[in-house]
Amino acid sequence: MKMTPIAHIETDLPQKFGIPRNSFLAPHLQGRIVFEPEFSLPQAVAGLEEFSHLWLLWEFENGTPGGTAADIAMDAATASKPGTTAKWAPTVRPPRLGGSERRGVFATRSPFRPNPIGLTCVKLDRIEIVDGAPVIHVLAADLRDGTPIFDIKPYIPFADSHPEATGGWIDRAPWQELEVDFPAELRKIVPVPKLAGLIEVLRQDPRRAGSKHEPERVYHLAYAGLDVAFTVDGEFLRVVDIT
């Protein structure tokens, strides 16, 4: 069965590097869902504004890693970005376990899967009509800019919420956030509506799971048109430059 994207999402993260590993880890991240012309009909979203949260079904686009300008240019020149089906393995190393232990791919949310399908719950911010077409504004999405969206469904609390659910091995490996040192003079460079989301992304530690302790290494994160340079020393992340 061939699926056709109905929309794509615009976010502040153009690369896989920095994408939160689950939705709502960065609740202030902003996203805009823009429909493809065939599906860009106000009637198709009638009543959706009554819901607080949505389910998105989408296609993984791992692309070229890294957040520098050169990385972004290389990624833009790559015709195929999924990087999933051809590279999938029956076991993966989840970041939650520090990249040192393996679990079955179907016991994880790894982007490297037989079929590159993602499932995300997002918060509905608002729906606006732009030139006669609906645009859905969402918060807390863990999707890179340009990700194709296959379907949108309302989140229904009585059916979708299960307070008694258990988290398997994830419950035994609580996520550790970094402490972010973000000098005031650099914060001023970031547009105010984008600042909270950026800090949340940095707290999640954008680096690859199990990264070596390299306190002098400068990493680059592409975010909202900015190049955010930072270092990590143990549990402390320091923003050193923004251009």
Side-chain angles (χ1 to χ4, degrees):
M1 180 180 67
K2 182 179 179 180
M3 292 192 293
T4 300
I6 63 166
H8 66 274
I9 190 168
E10 298 175 354
T11 71
D12 291 317
L13 291 161
Q15 298 293 95
K16 179 186 175 185
F17 185 73
I19 298 292
R21 294 178 174 95
N22 278 295
S23 61
F24 286 95
L25 291 180
H28 290 90
L29 276 184
Q30 302 171 345
R32 297 173 71 251
I33 298 174
V34 180
F35 286 90
E36 303 301 330
E38 180 181 356
F39 307 102
S40 190
L41 305 168
Q43 306 96 296
V45 298
L48 192 64
E49 74 283 353
E50 299 178 35
F51 295 89
S52 64
H53 293 72
L54 309 174
W55 288 111
L56 306 181
L57 281 83
W58 46 278
E59 180 180 9
F60 278 108
E61 289 197 328
N62 294 308
T64 304
T68 67
D71 295 325
I72 295 174
M74 182 181 296
D75 186 70
T78 303
S80 178
K81 295 183 176 63
T84 50
T85 306
K87 300 179 181 180
W88 87 277
T91 63
V92 297
R93 294 188 177 94
R96 191 81 171 225
L97 297 175
S100 60
E101 299 181 35
R102 285 190 173 274
R103 293 291 185 274
V105 65
F106 300 126
T108 75
R109 295 187 175 184
S110 168
F112 298 98
R113 321 181 68 80
N115 292 304
I117 299 173
L119 174 67
T120 289
C121 180
V122 296
K123 181 176 177 58
L124 174 60
D125 185 22
R126 69 187 189 280
I127 300 175
E128 67 172 338
I129 304 299
V130 180
D131 296 329
V135 175
I136 303 176
H137 294 258
V138 299
L139 298 171
D142 54 344
L143 284 72
R144 63 174 283 180
D145 185 51
T147 294
I149 306 294
F150 290 132
D151 201 7
I152 301 169
K153 302 178 187 292
Y155 177 96
I156 303 174
F158 86 86
D160 295 342
S161 177
H162 302 278
E164 75 284 4
T166 60
W169 57 266
I170 294 176
D171 286 344
R172 301 189 296 275
W175 188 251
Q176 300 295 321
E177 293 188 344
L178 299 180
E179 183 174 334
V180 176
D181 179 6
F182 201 148
E185 64 271 18
L186 295 178
R187 289 185 181 226
K188 294 177 181 178
I189 300 174
V190 183
V192 173
K194 306 292 185 181
L195 183 58
L198 173 57
I199 294 174
E200 291 165 350
V201 167
L202 294 173
R203 282 178 182 160
Q204 301 306 314
D205 193 351
R207 300 175 304 162
R208 186 176 181 177
S211 295
K212 297 179 181 179
H213 182 217
E214 301 175 286
E216 303 303 320
R217 179 175 176 179
V218 177
Y219 298 87
H220 293 266
L221 170 71
Y223 177 84
L226 303 171
D227 181 340
V228 182
F230 64 91
T231 60
V232 180
D233 188 357
E235 301 300 316
F236 297 90
L237 182 150
R238 177 175 175 79
V239 180
V240 296
D241 193 23
I242 296 182
T243 56

